[in-house]
Amino acid sequence: MDSNIQDFIDTCNSDNTCNLTNTTSILTTSATSSSPSSTSITNTSSRYENQKRRDWNTFGQYLKNHRPPLSLSRCSGAHVLEFLRYLDQFGKTKVHTPICPFYGHPNPPAPCPCPLRQAWGSLDALIGRLRAAFEENGGKPEANPFGARAVRLYLREVRDLQSKARGISYEKKKRKRPQPQQQPMPLPHHPLPPPGASATH
């Protein structure tokens, strides 16, 4: 296995992120570090761009190592699925099978022999970055293998399977609208008697 692919696999973990910070050998240019005065938005954007470039280089290396070697122009959605399944065998996310007593249990109390897989969130984010990188590198949107229907269906299938197996909902949480603040009821206003006046009952 190519060391770049191994670096990629090692850094994909179960918290739904794929970081390729260790794959410096595949970078042709060094990324410039953000200055301390940069805003958090700039830092996030810079990390995303660096991540996207690394993912793109890693996929290119995978195509070169493919037997027979594949050119990007001949890459299809089926090859993308092959890539995802290849990565899946090195996953670190426990996905319970229906016969497992912990199926649907978000926090299993004991270990089990169920397989480890790539987390759905990691795969989904990876495909999003590769889809953008494909078009940024001259690919036509209508020919984007990362946006193929088969890839979308595969990701949906993985999401549903892992959601049920792990007892975790992947549905986007609806943002609660802020409740309008209720104005306090005004207290009835009674004029105070002048100083020295005696109250009569």
Side-chain angles (χ1 to χ4, degrees):
M1 187 193 316
D2 186 86
S3 61
N4 297 330
I5 299 293
Q6 184 62 56
D7 286 340
F8 172 83
I9 292 164
D10 290 342
T11 53
C12 281
N13 50 44
S14 60
D15 63 357
N16 295 347
T17 59
C18 280
N19 296 317
L20 297 175
T21 52
N22 295 330
T23 57
T24 53
S25 60
I26 63 175
L27 296 176
T28 55
T29 58
S30 59
T32 56
S33 59
S34 301
S35 63
S37 60
S38 298
T39 64
S40 59
I41 294 176
T42 302
N43 289 338
T44 302
S45 174
S46 177
R47 283 196 301 270
Y48 172 79
E49 292 301 323
N50 291 340
Q51 184 74 59
K52 182 169 57 178
R53 182 176 63 251
R54 291 168 184 156
D55 291 347
W56 181 248
N57 290 339
T58 299
F59 184 72
Q61 193 66 46
Y62 174 80
L63 294 182
K64 288 179 183 177
N65 294 340
H66 193 276
R67 292 292 177 268
L70 274 172
S71 65
L72 187 61
S73 60
R74 296 174 61 88
C75 182
S76 67
H79 296 118
V80 174
L81 293 182
E82 187 180 287
F83 176 61
L84 294 180
R85 291 188 180 107
Y86 170 76
L87 295 176
D88 203 35
Q89 63 184 310
F90 303 101
K92 296 181 180 179
T93 298
K94 179 78 72 174
V95 179
H96 303 290
T97 60
I99 61 172
C100 177
F102 304 136
Y103 183 81
H105 199 300
N107 298 302
C112 68
C114 291
L116 296 174
R117 297 284 184 257
Q118 292 290 349
W120 165 76
S122 296
L123 297 178
D124 187 55
L126 171 66
I127 289 299
R129 291 190 297 269
L130 290 174
R131 185 175 181 176
F134 177 85
E135 296 178 17
E136 289 172 6
N137 285 276
K140 295 181 179 179
E142 61 271 18
N144 194 329
F146 304 102
R149 184 171 183 270
V151 175
R152 295 197 306 271
L153 291 176
Y154 176 78
L155 288 175
R156 188 182 305 166
E157 182 181 314
V158 170
R159 180 193 66 183
D160 294 346
L161 186 149
Q162 291 192 9
S163 177
K164 292 175 184 176
R166 302 176 64 204
I168 297 173
S169 174
Y170 289 118
E171 296 298 325
K172 290 184 178 179
K173 294 180 180 179
K174 294 182 179 179
R175 294 181 65 183
K176 292 183 179 180
R177 293 183 180 179
Q179 296 290 333
Q181 292 184 349
Q182 294 182 348
Q183 296 292 332
M185 292 185 62
L187 295 174
H189 178 69
H190 295 291
L192 294 175
S198 59
T200 57
H201 296 286

